[in-house]
Amino acid sequence: MSEYDETVYRTSPGRAAKLMIILVGLVVVGGVIFFALGDYWISELSPAGKAFAGITDEEAAPAVAQTGADIPVTLDFIESKDFRTLAFNALPGEPGNNPTINAKVGDRIIFNILNAGKSFHAFGVTLNEEGFGGILGGTSVAAANNPLKPGEGGTSQFIPGEPGTYYYICTVPGHRELGMVGTIIVE
C-alpha cells in the first residue's frame, strides 16, 4: 500500500454547511453596514465629498423684502402603488395634481410640506427646468442626503424677487423625472 492509496477526506457535509453559514453571515453583515451607513438610494456625492469639492446644494437667493401677500400652499408627497409615478397632492389625471402657484414679485409663498407617501422625499424651489440641483436658499425642507421619512413634514418659504417661472420639486435624484415637479409663475 502506498501513500496514494489512502482515502483522503477533504471535508464533510457538516463542515461545508458551517462554511456556507459563515459566508452568508458575512454577506448579510456587510449588506447591513453598507445600507445603514451609505446613501445607497441616491447617486450623488456624499456631503463630505461635496464640501471637499466646494459644491453647495443651495444657490444663494437674493434678499427680497416681502411687499405682497402671504400665499399658503400645502403640498403632500405621494406615490402610485407601483412607485412609477410620483406627484404632489394627487396623481396625474386627478384634480389637484402638482398645482400651479401664481404669485407676484414680493409675495411670500409659505410651503407646508408633508411626506404622505411611503418613500423618502425632500423639497426645494429651483430656477432650473430639469435636474435636482440649484435649490434656492431657504426654500428647502430636508435634503437628498437627509430626506423626510414617511409621515414627516416641514415648512419653508419663498419670496420671489424677479418675475419668471420657478419650479418646486422633490430634490431626491430621479423623483422629479417621475413626476414630482410643479410650477410657480411669478408676474
Side-chain angles (χ1 to χ4, degrees):
M1 190 164 153
S2 71
E3 62 183 90
Y4 299 107
D5 294 336
E6 190 176 314
T7 304
V8 177
Y9 294 100
R10 303 227 187 277
T11 190
S12 67
R15 289 183 73 189
K18 286 179 186 177
L19 177 63
M20 290 305 298
I21 289 170
I22 291 169
L23 291 175
V24 168
L26 287 172
V27 169
V28 168
V29 168
V32 167
I33 291 170
F34 175 77
F35 288 111
L37 300 178
D39 290 334
Y40 64 92
W41 65 86
I42 59 174
S43 58
E44 65 178 43
L45 285 173
S46 68
K50 285 182 180 182
F52 182 75
I55 299 170
T56 59
D57 283 338
E58 295 189 352
E59 292 182 2
V64 178
Q66 180 186 358
T67 58
D70 280 343
I71 303 172
V73 177
T74 300
L75 296 172
D76 295 344
F77 293 103
I78 62 168
E79 306 102 8
S80 63
K81 290 182 182 181
D82 63 1
F83 291 95
R84 291 178 186 229
T85 305
L86 309 177
F88 290 100
N89 293 354
L91 294 174
E94 298 174 359
N97 169 253
N98 298 345
T100 298
I101 301 167
N102 294 300
K104 294 181 179 165
V105 172
D107 287 350
R108 178 171 58 177
I109 304 168
I110 303 166
F111 295 101
N112 296 302
I113 309 300
L114 175 66
N115 185 354
K118 296 183 181 185
S119 183
F120 297 106
H121 299 291
F123 177 83
V125 175
T126 182
L127 280 165
N128 298 340
E129 291 187 35
E130 58 185 32
F132 55 87
I135 302 304
L136 298 174
T139 65
S140 62
V141 176
N145 59 5
N146 188 18
L148 295 171
K149 295 172 184 64
E152 293 181 342
T155 303
S156 74
Q157 62 182 358
F158 171 54
I159 302 173
E162 296 179 9
T165 303
Y166 299 82
Y167 304 92
Y168 62 88
I169 64 171
C170 179
T171 61
V172 173
H175 287 196
R176 180 178 188 169
E177 290 76 17
L178 292 174
M180 282 192 164
V181 57
T183 306
I184 303 169
I185 299 172
V186 178
E187 300 174 0

